[in-house]
Amino acid sequence: MKLAVSIVLFHNGEELLEAIQSVLNSEIELKLYLIDNSKTDKLKKLANDSRISYTFNNKNLGYGTAHNMALQQSIKDNINYHIVMNPDISFKKGTLEKMVAYLEQNPDVGSLMPKIHYRDGSIQRLCRLLPTPFDLIGRRFLSKTEWASKQNKRYELHDFDYNTILNTPCLSGCFMFMRTDVLKEIGLFDERFFVYLEDYDLSRRINQHAKTLFFPEVSILHGYVQGSYKELNLLGLHIHSAIKYFNKWGWLVDRERNRLNQEVLETIQQSP
């Protein structure tokens, strides 16, 4: 088996059916792991296909910890590739096949993120620089200021056209198509992050060993709720994770971040 997919559940609605069907429409032999952090197991009824494995945790273990349960099984089963995917993702038949084919032909690539659109068709700018504390503070609390707007355009790579392949160490965790051999080397999600920034941390660690590519030759749809902009408890979790992230990688002094971000910016400037 070449491919496994994991989706972490938490009291999800109808959007989950579309995500599951998108995965199962593939002609690739695969396994779909539904890891349920909900308080009840009523979503168990969705595991109505032999390719689906359902696990009920009976508590919210957190995003990365729950996905690690499936990732560990993929590594144990020697599955080549594993997709970490949000429950509000959908895509057309043939999408997974194209991504597998690209990874098969490019063994130096550790992870891929496709072009991601909102439901209205507009692009989601999910290729980013590695964040500084100023980037995250400006985006969340000072977004209406001219300084923060300028800072955010740089951070979100607004000069990038989203039509070319780009190697950047910071890619969204809503859809992470990863090579499991790389995960064996660098480890899985850091379980100190309950939710938020665990994807940036993992993408950065993969990038230290292999390319982490934005791959615009396929596209998917993403609901993109941005819960921490609407709920205070999620904002608190976001801040908590940001503190852990910068404690780990560096607040103001992070030479690797400076170097990698400069390389990304120069690549974009040199693009035709």
Side-chain angles (χ1 to χ4, degrees):
M1 190 180 298
K2 285 186 177 293
L3 180 64
V5 182
S6 57
I7 304 176
V8 171
L9 314 181
F10 188 70
H11 303 294
N12 299 96
E14 293 296 321
E15 81 283 353
L16 182 58
L17 295 173
E18 194 173 3
I20 291 173
Q21 196 57 48
S22 293
V23 173
L24 297 182
N25 276 343
S26 172
E27 295 182 359
I28 299 172
E29 183 184 3
L30 56 78
K31 191 77 173 181
L32 172 59
Y33 294 95
L34 300 180
I35 312 296
D36 196 351
N37 281 347
S38 307
K39 294 180 180 179
T40 71
D41 66 349
K42 67 178 184 179
L43 294 173
K44 184 177 181 179
K45 62 185 178 183
L46 300 176
N48 54 7
D49 187 288
S50 62
R51 293 169 289 178
I52 299 177
S53 170
Y54 174 85
T55 301
F56 177 57
N57 290 325
N58 200 28
K59 62 180 178 180
N60 191 352
L61 299 179
Y63 186 83
T65 299
H67 274 297
N68 278 352
M69 295 171 65
L71 286 164
Q72 287 163 359
Q73 191 62 47
S74 285
I75 290 173
K76 181 181 178 181
D77 294 340
N78 291 314
I79 293 176
N80 301 71
Y81 309 109
H82 189 110
I83 302 172
V84 163
M85 178 175 134
N86 277 14
D88 55 354
I89 294 287
S90 62
F91 46 84
K92 295 179 180 178
K93 187 174 183 178
T95 297
L96 301 185
E97 286 81 352
K98 289 179 181 178
M99 299 184 80
V100 166
Y102 186 84
L103 284 170
E104 293 277 277
Q105 296 166 10
N106 296 273
D108 60 338
V109 177
S111 70
L112 291 178
M113 185 189 78
K115 185 181 289 189
I116 300 173
H117 295 278
Y118 292 101
R119 296 289 173 177
D120 65 5
S122 57
I123 193 74
Q124 291 186 12
R125 292 191 168 275
L126 298 180
C127 296
R128 294 171 181 172
L129 298 177
L130 290 170
T132 68
F134 302 111
D135 292 321
L136 300 189
I137 292 170
R139 280 169 58 81
R140 185 59 185 84
F141 300 106
L142 303 169
S143 60
K144 295 183 180 180
T145 67
E146 184 178 350
W147 168 81
S149 177
K150 183 178 179 180
Q151 186 85 1
N152 193 55
K153 287 179 179 178
R154 180 181 182 273
Y155 170 59
E156 289 188 342
L157 303 175
H158 279 237
D159 289 336
F160 180 49
D161 64 7
Y162 276 78
N163 291 317
T164 55
I165 291 174
L166 179 69
N167 182 23
T168 177
C170 190
L171 295 171
S172 169
C174 70
F175 192 95
M176 303 177 75
F177 200 130
M178 298 177 288
R179 189 183 300 275
T180 54
D181 280 348
V182 175
L183 297 177
K184 291 175 186 177
E185 292 184 44
I186 61 104
L188 308 179
F189 283 111
D190 186 336
E191 296 185 4
R192 290 176 293 179
F193 298 91
F194 182 77
V195 67
Y196 299 118
L197 294 172
E198 70 286 299
D199 52 345
Y200 288 11
D201 172 77
L202 182 56
S203 181
R204 180 171 181 169
R205 286 188 283 122
I206 294 172
N207 186 264
Q208 291 176 330
H209 292 260
K211 293 179 180 178
T212 51
L213 297 185
F214 168 69
F215 184 67
E217 296 180 25
V218 297
S219 62
I220 65 175
L221 296 179
H222 178 212
Y224 202 55
V225 175
Q226 284 190 303
S228 67
Y229 283 71
K230 302 173 183 177
E231 300 181 32
L232 283 178
N233 65 315
L234 293 179
L235 173 60
L237 290 171
H238 206 156
I239 292 171
H240 194 58
S241 287
I243 292 170
K244 290 182 178 180
Y245 177 88
F246 292 118
N247 282 344
K248 180 175 183 176
W249 292 103
W251 286 78
L252 300 181
V253 179
D254 183 348
R255 292 185 177 86
E256 182 184 61
R257 176 181 65 202
N258 294 343
R259 176 181 60 80
L260 292 170
N261 285 350
Q262 188 59 38
E263 289 176 1
V264 172
L265 292 171
E266 288 175 358
T267 298
I268 293 172
Q269 291 171 358
Q270 293 167 6
S271 298

